[in-house]
Each structure stands twice: as C-alpha cells, then as structure tokens.
Amino acid sequence: MVKKLTSMTYEELQTERDANELLQNNLKVQIEQVTDKKVSLKLSQELLQISKRNEKLAARQVVLMSKVKRPMARSRPASYEMSLDEIEAETEQNKITIAKFEEDLKSSDFETRFNASQTLRTLYARHKALCRQRVALLSHSLELLRKELNATQKR
C-alpha cells in the first residue's frame, strides 16, 4: 500500500526514493532485454509511474527541509548546515566570549559597558539558536536510533 506523501517523514520519503531507484534500474534492464513490444510498453509505463512518484517524493522532501530552521555558520554560505561538532565548538567559544563581555559590564567606563551590552545581546541570541539546533539534532539522532533498535528487534 502506498502511503500519502503528507503523512511520511523525511526518512520514509528517502527510503521510498531509494527503493524506487532500484526498481527503475531493474525495469530499464528488463526493457532492454524484452523483444515483445506490448511487454516493453507496459514496463515503460511502469517506469514512468515510478519516475513521477519519485518527483513527488523529492518535492515533498524539499518542503520538509524548508521547514527546518538551522543556525548558519558565520562566514559561510546561507545554505550551509552546521554539524553537531561545529555547533558544540561554537557554543564553547561563545561561552568564553560571553564570560569576557559580562566582566566588561562591571567596568566604570560607560562606553565599555554599552559595547559589552550590545555584543552580549547578539551573542545570547546566537547561543540560544545554537542550543535549539543542538537539541533538534540530538532529538533527530535519538529518533533514528530508536527506529534502528525497533528494526533490529523485529528481526
């Protein structure tokens, strides 16, 4: 039974696309080997249907990916997605920088305090976004591990 695209997760979409690619390759081989025109036509139509389904699956994956918000790495293209290691490294660096600027808030010089306050505002926002992304990536990894565990237990 074919599942509705809107009820499928990104991983399910990708799994079906991979399975369809194998089917497409098998159909192409069969089409080359068959000499009967009617059988060849039927296989070609089946190949076309699978190709159309794959296009819909890919389109749905694009929609799902566009809904995922990820913090962007500094000085990198906007489409760059950070890995868990990069997020943790930047988070650690931000903690050190935040501690330095929090010390500057205690300065007697108004300009130093003001600049520290402004810098901290952006650092806090960045740190918050990184923490949200870290939680999302860890949750996603946990979900994948649960699925893998369930799959191995069913065998």
Side-chain angles (χ1 to χ4, degrees):
M1 185 178 142
V2 177
K3 261 181 119 173
K4 286 181 71 177
L5 293 177
T6 54
S7 66
M8 295 173 76
T9 64
Y10 184 87
E11 290 77 23
E12 290 172 327
L13 293 165
Q14 187 61 47
T15 302
E16 187 175 335
R17 284 183 67 203
D18 293 342
N20 286 348
E21 188 173 331
L22 290 173
L23 281 172
Q24 285 177 315
N25 291 336
N26 290 340
L27 285 171
K28 288 175 185 176
V29 169
Q30 287 178 4
I31 290 170
E32 290 174 2
Q33 295 173 349
V34 171
T35 56
D36 185 12
K37 298 283 186 186
K38 288 183 181 181
V39 175
S40 179
L41 178 62
K42 182 180 177 188
L43 292 173
S44 295
Q45 288 173 338
E46 197 173 324
L47 180 63
L48 180 62
Q49 287 176 339
I50 292 171
S51 296
K52 286 181 180 180
R53 174 76 178 172
N54 266 1
E55 287 177 12
K56 290 178 183 177
L57 292 168
R60 179 65 183 158
Q61 280 183 303
V62 169
V63 169
L64 289 177
M65 285 301 290
S66 68
K67 291 181 181 180
V68 176
K69 302 275 191 243
R70 297 196 172 153
M72 300 303 154
R74 292 183 186 149
S75 73
R76 295 208 173 132
S79 62
Y80 182 81
E81 298 173 1
M82 295 178 71
S83 70
L84 187 58
D85 292 336
E86 291 172 318
I87 290 172
E88 289 175 348
E90 187 174 336
T91 301
E92 288 305 311
Q93 184 60 42
N94 282 351
K95 286 180 183 178
I96 294 167
T97 308
I98 287 171
K100 178 200 170 292
F101 282 106
E102 285 177 342
E103 285 297 315
D104 287 350
L105 288 176
K106 299 174 186 173
S107 172
S108 60
D109 181 37
F110 172 78
E111 192 171 323
T112 303
R113 288 193 318 266
F114 179 77
N115 290 336
S117 173
Q118 295 301 313
T119 304
L120 281 171
R121 184 180 293 180
T122 59
L123 284 172
Y124 289 147
R126 176 74 179 164
H127 186 75
K128 185 177 177 181
L130 288 168
C131 289
R132 273 196 310 262
Q133 182 59 33
R134 182 174 183 269
V135 168
L137 286 173
L138 290 172
S139 296
H140 179 69
S141 297
L142 186 60
E143 181 183 328
L144 291 176
L145 288 171
R146 283 186 185 135
K147 285 181 181 180
E148 187 176 317
L149 179 64
N150 288 339
T152 56
Q153 289 177 345
K154 289 180 182 177
R155 293 180 194 164

